[in-house]
Amino acid sequence: MLKVLFPTIMLLPLTWLCPQKKLWSLTLLYSLMISFLSLLWLKMPLQTNWTHLNLYMATDHLSTPLLVLTCWLLPLMIIASQNHMSQEPINRQRTFILLLTSLQIFLILAFSATEMIMFYVMFEATLIPTLFIITRWGNQTERLNAGTYFLFYTLAGSLPLLVALLLLQNSVGTLSLLTLQFTNPLPLSSYADKIWWTGCLLAFLVKMPLYGTHLWLPKAHVEAPIAGSMILAAVLLKLGGYGMMRIMLMLEPLTKELSYPFIILALWGVIMTSSICLRQTDLKSLIAYSSVSHMGLVAAAILIQTPWSFTGALILMIAHGLTSSALFCLANTNYERTHSRTMVLARGLQMVLPIMTTWWFLASLANLALPPLPNLMGEIMIVTSLFNWSPWTLLLTGLGMLITAGYSLYMFLMTQRGPIPNHIISLNPTHTREHLLITLHLIPLLLLILKPELIWGWTA
Amino acid sequence: MWPRLFAKVRSPRGSLPCSRGTPGRCGRLTAQQNLSTGGPLRNDFFKELEQHLAGMRKKAAGALTGSSWGSLRGNPDLPPKRADVVIVGGGVMGWSIAYWLKQKEMVQGGLQIVVVERDLTYSKASTVLSAGGIRQQFSLPENIHLSLASADFIRNINEHLGVLGEDPVDLQFNHSGYLFLASEKAAHIMEQNYNTQRQAGAKVALLSPSQLKEKFPWVNTEDVALASHGLENEGWFDPWTLLNAFRRKAISMGVIQCCGEVTDFKYTINVMMTADGERLDVRRINHVKVQMPNSLEYQPVECALVVNAAGAFSGKLAEMLGIGLGSKGSIAGVPFPVEPRKRYVYVVHCPDGPGLDTPFLVDFSGVYFRREGLGGNYITGVSPEEGEEPDTGNLEVDHQFFEDKIWPRLAHRVPAFEKLKVASGWAGFYDYNTLDQNAIIGTHPLIGNMYFASGFSGHGLQHSPAAGRAVAELIVDGNFKTLDLRRLGFNRVLMEEPVLEKNIV
């Protein structure tokens, strides 16, 4: 545990003190080394749930894939930001990497927390670096609005969580995840207990996001710089899913009835947001709405609490993290060349940048859940477990998958195929750095086809 | 601005400050008092709603204590920091392109467009100083098609440019047609043009001298061999109204107008080698530097595309990107062939002149005139000879030019004009294409993301709706769709193959 945490903490002084010429290469190599170290966590013996256990932190089948994803993402963010940050003064560059690293630290602590209060504090702490990244390095004036939405939606959802956790501590006596699973089920019968149930879940539902509370996400994703979009889409949304999976233990038996509206909202959100994707003109906005759509499936799966649905949710979280981050990186390569996110102005790119088309193709196929990619594994398990829970959900999930295929192909065809406009004839050829960035996203996704047990959670 | 003028007069509260006995306020109020006699008879609440709300907001802002955020907001007149398309030049061509781009974006809010115009009074702009004619009598089929499409547009202008809740557009389109006169030696050219025009769909009629005398008895047909009269879709209209109609509609669709001057571009250069080993610097515009009027403050607008609709000054704009500054013989050494040429227009008053059905008459010597209004006024002018081009440094009018070049020929052609008085005159610029006096529409090989739409050489106003649509098709669809204007691209300048228009007024 500490073998990954301490190097990440020591990355902070490195960022501040290293010579200017070597800043990006040093931080990149260092964070790559940390991510390789984090792969050691993948050895998870099935018998003991918790491994790498110490007083405050531990990893188990649920948190390990998310931790590895978090550690993997830092070098990718550094590669992605290198180009647009090169124009900035050196101190701002250092501050930027500092913010990314501190975000990484908080995320590692959040995912490996064994105590719910620590998880809560780290959950809130991740808001601060993200807010800085969005509002300071975003591109347009709307970023202030986006930052406000992001901060206040999440805060408003999570303050009830604090109260709920403290109440839980009072009644059960502990908030340690290791022992919470062994407590007696709580006598949850009064009306106040229903509010407590909602308070526990609301923060995570806003974070996921659930369809009704998703307004912060398109703004935050679109206005953030590329590194901000990557970490938001890949990991921060999954914090909500992870938190929900952890807290669901304690929420029985109310979940049987109270979860209905949220499952409906989540599934309806899948269809609504995928339909919105078909009408988007802004490429990043399209990818942001597709994130909401996929997370709707994850939210519904977590709320029905079956082993298969949890497995499906976890697989989809990991696969979506990699795919969404890859799509944002691809959109950024477009943006850096044409300075516009409007899809209608950058079309027919297959003629100009053919290898980039291959990456667009793979990422779009991953987004529409093509077998044998883990995206499909997750979606199939979620759809099947939801079908088992109620056959009627098949209408919603099936339609959602159909529209997902529709907008993924629409995005691919709109950007890559068709006649090239006259103003894109001479573009910078793709840098090796950009090829590296996308392949580092897609190769883990492809390798996971071969060993999906790593991200299956507790299901053997 | 206009509704507010009317509103101020009708509001009963206008008289109260006077009675408070503060002479200063009273004096200011009378200065604001509107002298117009044609105001609306009733207060239209909904039309004035915008003004009321803006007034209320201002009052609220004034009542609350000053906020320290106010100074941090910066100058509100600056253009946005980024836009998808920056259109340089807010004349009729620029606004037409803005309107058509918004029309063709597939989803609302799809394209962010900023139109940069340095002089919102349009004191030097070619659009408002134009004679306002529209004709299909060209020799180049592309020009005929452009005029036909534009005539169709302005005949149905309220379908296209009508804004809900605002007054309909009235272009005052006089359908009187153009009348071209040809001498003996040019009659065969007129016949050829007539055939081209009929084939393209223009409704033109050829008249012999006797038919001409019958139709328009006030014409002196002495040395006229042939005349060509446009029967439909030809005439003149009010250019200022068309400009404002385009502007109003485009702004209602979300285009942002910025008053400023483009002084520079920030671009990246890609060095490429041609097959012959010649080195080419291909530039790609990243930012457009827009400088505020009368100020050193500027805003770099990050953009994906720039459209050069700067009219007479588009050559100067192209020079900022190095077009024409390369070595002779290279592609970069070919300058953008558009330069301003000054043309005079004189308003004359002749009470005994030709009547209401006077067409826009163009004599074979180049002198033209048309009726203006209903009070016996006409506007007239001529294009100077090649060697006698007036100085383009200012827009001063040379009245001696009228006496020497215009009046004799005008009086010869229309005897009634021997007795006339020059009421006034003005001068405007043609965005003159020195190569072949035809438009240049398209991209330049050395600049990745700039589209040109200038060089119309005196027929820009009449082509503006169709040319705007053509440029919008180039940008959004990638190719011309309704009218094929590929012959009007920049390639003919590089190849030095002029596409000549024989019928330039």
Side-chain angles (χ1 to χ4, degrees):
Chain A
M1 202 65 239
L2 285 181
K3 64 178 167 290
V4 172
L5 192 58
F6 262 1
T8 321
I9 296 179
M10 293 315 283
L11 190 51
L12 297 171
L14 173 77
T15 318
W16 207 254
L17 299 172
C18 76
Q20 176 176 351
K21 281 220 191 78
K22 306 204 181 102
L23 172 65
W24 290 92
S25 37
L26 271 182
T27 43
L28 174 59
L29 285 175
Y30 196 136
S31 47
L32 260 181
M33 185 199 77
I34 296 177
S35 62
F36 285 139
L37 271 182
S38 74
L39 290 174
L40 290 172
W41 281 327
L42 286 170
K43 181 169 182 354
M44 296 173 286
L46 196 57
Q47 289 75 20
T48 67
N49 263 346
W50 300 94
T51 44
H52 304 96
L53 194 59
N54 68 32
L55 271 181
Y56 308 105
M57 302 184 283
T59 66
D60 81 333
H61 291 267
L62 182 53
S63 51
T64 306
L66 291 165
L67 276 168
V68 176
L69 180 64
T70 311
C71 294
W72 185 241
L73 217 67
L74 183 59
L76 267 50
M77 287 195 282
I78 293 180
I79 299 177
S81 315
Q82 202 170 342
N83 192 17
H84 77 87
M85 293 297 290
S86 55
Q87 262 83 7
E88 304 233 0
I90 183 67
N91 279 342
R92 270 177 74 95
Q93 294 183 18
R94 292 193 204 267
T95 317
F96 189 74
I97 302 182
L98 216 69
L99 285 170
L100 294 180
T101 316
S102 55
L103 195 53
Q104 169 95 324
I105 297 173
F106 293 141
L107 282 168
I108 295 179
L109 287 172
F111 282 124
S112 59
T114 49
E115 229 231 307
M116 284 307 288
I117 289 287
M118 178 160 157
F119 173 74
Y120 175 79
V121 174
M122 292 304 141
F123 180 83
E124 297 293 301
T126 58
L127 290 181
I128 300 172
T130 320
L131 183 69
F132 278 176
I133 294 176
I134 296 178
T135 49
R136 297 273 148 213
W137 279 276
N139 277 320
Q140 290 164 253
T141 39
E142 287 87 10
R143 66 183 190 272
L144 301 171
N145 199 8
T148 314
Y149 262 71
F150 167 67
L151 185 69
F152 285 106
Y153 259 75
T154 321
L155 275 182
S158 59
L159 281 178
L161 176 63
L162 178 62
V163 177
L165 285 179
L166 293 175
L167 280 174
L168 186 57
Q169 159 89 333
N170 259 348
S171 60
V172 176
T174 176
L175 278 179
S176 168
L177 288 167
L178 297 118
T179 44
L180 268 184
Q181 52 193 340
F182 297 117
T183 54
N184 289 324
L186 298 163
L188 300 168
S189 47
S190 72
Y191 188 65
D193 287 322
K194 296 195 170 68
I195 302 186
W196 174 83
W197 184 95
T198 321
C200 281
L201 275 187
L202 191 62
F204 304 121
L205 288 173
V206 169
K207 195 83 175 170
M208 285 237 52
L210 186 67
Y211 176 57
T213 57
H214 70 288
L215 280 181
W216 63 270
L217 187 136
K219 292 194 207 295
H221 273 90
V222 167
E223 304 302 331
I226 178 61
S229 293
M230 284 166 74
I231 194 71
L232 264 173
V235 186
L236 288 176
L237 301 186
K238 287 46 177 184
L239 259 185
Y242 173 76
M244 259 168 77
M245 285 191 188
R246 289 293 189 205
I247 201 75
M248 289 298 249
L249 274 181
M250 304 312 302
L251 300 176
E252 285 301 314
L254 284 179
T255 316
K256 285 202 193 64
E257 277 122 27
L258 288 182
S259 60
Y260 271 99
F262 298 106
I263 301 178
I264 308 282
L265 258 183
L267 289 176
W268 186 237
V270 170
I271 300 184
M272 289 310 287
T273 46
S274 351
S275 315
I276 293 178
C277 283
L278 286 170
R279 291 286 293 173
Q280 289 299 315
T281 52
D282 183 335
L283 190 52
K284 269 180 107 168
S285 187
L286 195 153
I287 305 173
Y289 274 108
S290 98
S291 281
V292 181
S293 167
H294 289 281
M295 287 299 111
L297 271 179
V298 173
I302 299 178
L303 284 167
I304 63 171
Q305 296 179 296
T306 67
W308 266 33
S309 78
F310 264 39
T311 307
L314 186 53
I315 301 179
L316 188 56
M317 284 204 282
I318 305 295
H320 171 261
L322 287 168
T323 313
S324 205
S325 183
L327 281 171
F328 274 115
C329 292
L330 287 166
N332 190 48
T333 62
N334 249 7
Y335 180 75
E336 283 182 358
R337 283 171 177 74
T338 56
H339 287 277
S340 165
R341 295 194 303 258
T342 315
M343 283 201 289
V344 78
L345 287 179
R347 305 160 68 180
L349 288 173
Q350 184 166 16
M351 286 293 125
V352 189
L353 304 170
I355 304 189
M356 197 51 86
T357 305
T358 320
W359 308 138
W360 271 103
F361 189 50
L362 282 176
S364 304
L365 289 179
N367 204 19
L368 60 87
L370 188 79
L373 291 165
N375 304 67
L376 179 77
M377 274 188 247
E379 288 200 12
I380 286 274
M381 291 186 122
I382 295 179
V383 172
T384 328
S385 51
L386 276 173
F387 180 71
N388 193 14
W389 178 77
S390 158
W392 295 104
T393 57
L394 190 65
L395 290 172
L396 298 168
T397 50
L399 189 60
M401 285 180 79
L402 183 65
I403 307 182
T404 304
Y407 71 71
S408 299
L409 284 178
Y410 167 70
M411 176 176 65
F412 176 67
L413 293 175
M414 194 64 162
T415 50
Q416 307 303 119
R417 297 279 164 86
I420 320 179
N422 298 315
H423 50 268
I424 315 194
I425 300 186
S426 74
L427 286 181
N428 278 339
T430 320
H431 302 279
T432 318
R433 173 181 47 84
E434 293 167 342
H435 284 310
L436 178 66
L437 180 61
I438 313 288
T439 41
L440 283 181
H441 277 105
L442 294 177
I443 288 184
L445 200 60
L446 297 171
L447 287 176
L448 278 174
I449 306 175
L450 303 174
K451 195 170 170 65
E453 294 91 45
L454 294 173
I455 51 175
W456 268 355
W458 299 286
T459 319
Chain B
M1 192 180 91
W2 300 103
R4 187 161 58 94
L5 276 179
F6 295 138
K8 275 261 193 267
V9 175
R10 300 294 158 186
S11 133
R13 276 175 246 126
S15 55
L16 284 177
C18 248
S19 66
R20 284 207 197 131
T22 49
R25 298 225 25 203
C26 206
R28 208 173 44 225
L29 195 62
T30 43
Q32 279 174 344
Q33 216 167 36
N34 169 32
L35 298 174
S36 151
T37 51
L41 292 175
R42 280 186 275 291
N43 278 336
D44 189 342
F45 177 65
F46 288 103
K47 262 198 195 159
E48 298 162 12
L49 191 59
E50 286 285 318
Q51 271 71 255
H52 283 308
L53 286 176
M56 276 164 38
R57 250 180 273 135
K58 253 196 227 141
K59 253 196 250 176
L64 298 169
T65 52
S67 143
S68 61
W69 290 107
S71 52
L72 290 178
R73 206 128 298 188
N75 188 354
D77 299 326
L78 287 176
K81 288 214 182 98
R82 69 163 312 278
D84 288 324
V85 184
V86 173
I87 300 179
V88 181
V92 69
M93 197 59 66
W95 281 108
S96 167
I97 297 175
Y99 161 72
W100 278 108
L101 276 174
K102 272 293 176 181
Q103 184 76 355
K104 288 182 80 66
E105 68 177 6
M106 286 166 256
V107 193
Q108 204 180 29
L111 281 176
Q112 287 170 316
I113 305 175
V114 172
V115 174
V116 181
E117 167 59 43
R118 71 174 165 193
D119 177 12
L120 283 180
T121 64
Y122 292 95
S123 54
K124 295 210 183 92
S126 310
T127 302
V128 298
L129 298 167
S130 146
I134 177 167
R135 59 176 164 116
Q136 278 84 48
Q137 295 182 51
F138 291 100
S139 64
L140 198 64
E142 277 89 353
N143 281 338
I144 306 175
H145 288 298
L146 276 171
S147 279
L148 274 172
S150 302
D152 185 64
F153 183 91
I154 64 181
R155 281 170 71 170
N156 299 312
I157 194 157
N158 277 303
E159 262 177 49
H160 299 284
L161 299 184
V163 176
L164 198 61
E166 299 265 356
D167 298 329
V169 182
D170 175 20
L171 280 188
Q172 288 156 33
F173 190 179
N174 284 286
H175 287 255
S176 304
Y178 267 65
L179 181 64
F180 277 85
L181 304 177
S183 61
E184 286 284 338
K185 30 194 190 68
H188 61 288
I189 305 182
M190 181 172 269
E191 266 194 68
Q192 275 173 4
N193 290 347
Y194 168 76
N195 286 324
T196 321
Q197 288 149 20
R198 286 304 294 252
Q199 242 184 355
K203 307 274 193 303
V204 188
L206 279 182
L207 301 169
S208 71
S210 47
Q211 286 171 326
L212 179 64
K213 192 71 181 176
E214 217 184 290
K215 212 169 186 183
F216 305 111
W218 39 264
V219 175
N220 173 14
T221 58
E222 197 182 301
D223 35 2
V224 175
L226 198 57
S228 152
H229 186 208
L231 299 170
E232 256 189 35
N233 290 330
E234 290 199 354
W236 59 88
F237 56 90
D238 180 19
W240 177 247
T241 312
L242 182 63
L243 172 65
N244 271 324
F246 269 126
R247 185 162 70 162
R248 184 183 74 176
K249 181 72 178 175
I251 291 185
S252 80
M253 290 164 107
V255 175
I256 299 177
Q257 173 181 274
C258 168
C259 179
E261 183 176 352
V262 173
T263 48
D264 201 1
F265 294 97
K266 278 199 219 165
Y267 46 82
T268 50
I269 308 184
N270 273 333
V271 181
M272 300 192 184
M273 296 287 242
T274 63
D276 314 323
E278 184 189 338
R279 178 196 137 128
L280 286 178
D281 286 341
V282 179
R283 288 174 168 76
R284 199 174 172 80
I285 300 174
N286 291 336
H287 292 78
V288 180
K289 274 190 173 171
V290 179
Q291 186 159 359
M292 291 295 107
N294 300 325
S295 158
L296 286 177
E297 193 180 4
Y298 70 89
Q299 167 82 292
V301 180
E302 185 187 6
C303 58
L305 287 183
V306 177
V307 177
N308 184 349
F313 315 107
S314 41
K316 227 165 30 121
L317 197 75
E319 254 184 36
M320 288 179 202
L321 286 162
I323 299 179
L325 300 179
S327 55
K328 287 260 173 278
S330 68
I331 300 184
V334 177
F336 191 63
V338 172
E339 61 181 40
R341 292 280 173 97
K342 188 155 101 169
R343 296 285 178 267
Y344 302 113
V345 177
Y346 303 91
V347 182
V348 301
H349 177 70
C350 176
D352 298 324
L356 271 183
D357 63 347
T358 314
F360 198 127
L361 191 142
V362 183
D363 188 39
F364 53 81
S365 56
V367 173
Y368 64 83
F369 83 93
R370 71 155 169 90
R371 174 181 57 83
E372 169 64 33
L374 302 168
N377 295 313
Y378 304 87
I379 66 174
T380 176
V382 75
S383 286
E385 306 285 320
E386 270 297 325
E388 296 171 357
E389 288 286 347
D391 168 43
T392 54
N394 55 34
L395 283 177
E396 305 281 324
V397 180
D398 178 11
H399 286 282
Q400 198 55 39
F401 184 79
F402 177 79
E403 306 264 336
D404 295 337
K405 307 280 179 184
I406 300 184
W407 203 355
R409 298 189 200 144
L410 201 59
H412 172 74
R413 185 55 56 212
V414 182
F417 280 154
E418 287 186 7
K419 290 190 290 228
L420 56 71
K421 218 157 87 147
V422 177
S424 74
W426 68 78
F429 290 122
Y430 271 15
D431 50 343
Y432 194 80
N433 181 348
T434 50
L435 181 71
D436 54 16
Q437 291 90 57
N438 270 322
I440 302 183
I441 298 182
T443 49
H444 190 283
L446 290 185
I447 306 181
N449 51 355
M450 178 180 250
Y451 285 87
F452 290 94
S454 70
F456 289 89
S457 313
H459 36 93
L461 176 68
Q462 56 186 284
H463 287 166
S464 58
R469 184 179 58 184
V471 174
E473 283 170 3
L474 266 189
I475 294 179
V476 179
D477 299 326
N479 256 321
F480 293 113
K481 271 190 136 160
T482 42
L483 294 172
D484 184 5
L485 303 177
R486 275 175 298 177
R487 277 212 293 171
L488 296 178
F490 195 75
N491 274 330
R492 72 186 199 274
V493 180
L494 294 174
M495 301 290 165
E496 291 179 25
E497 291 165 8
V499 170
L500 279 172
E501 166 60 52
K502 300 192 201 94
N503 246 3
I504 289 290
V505 178

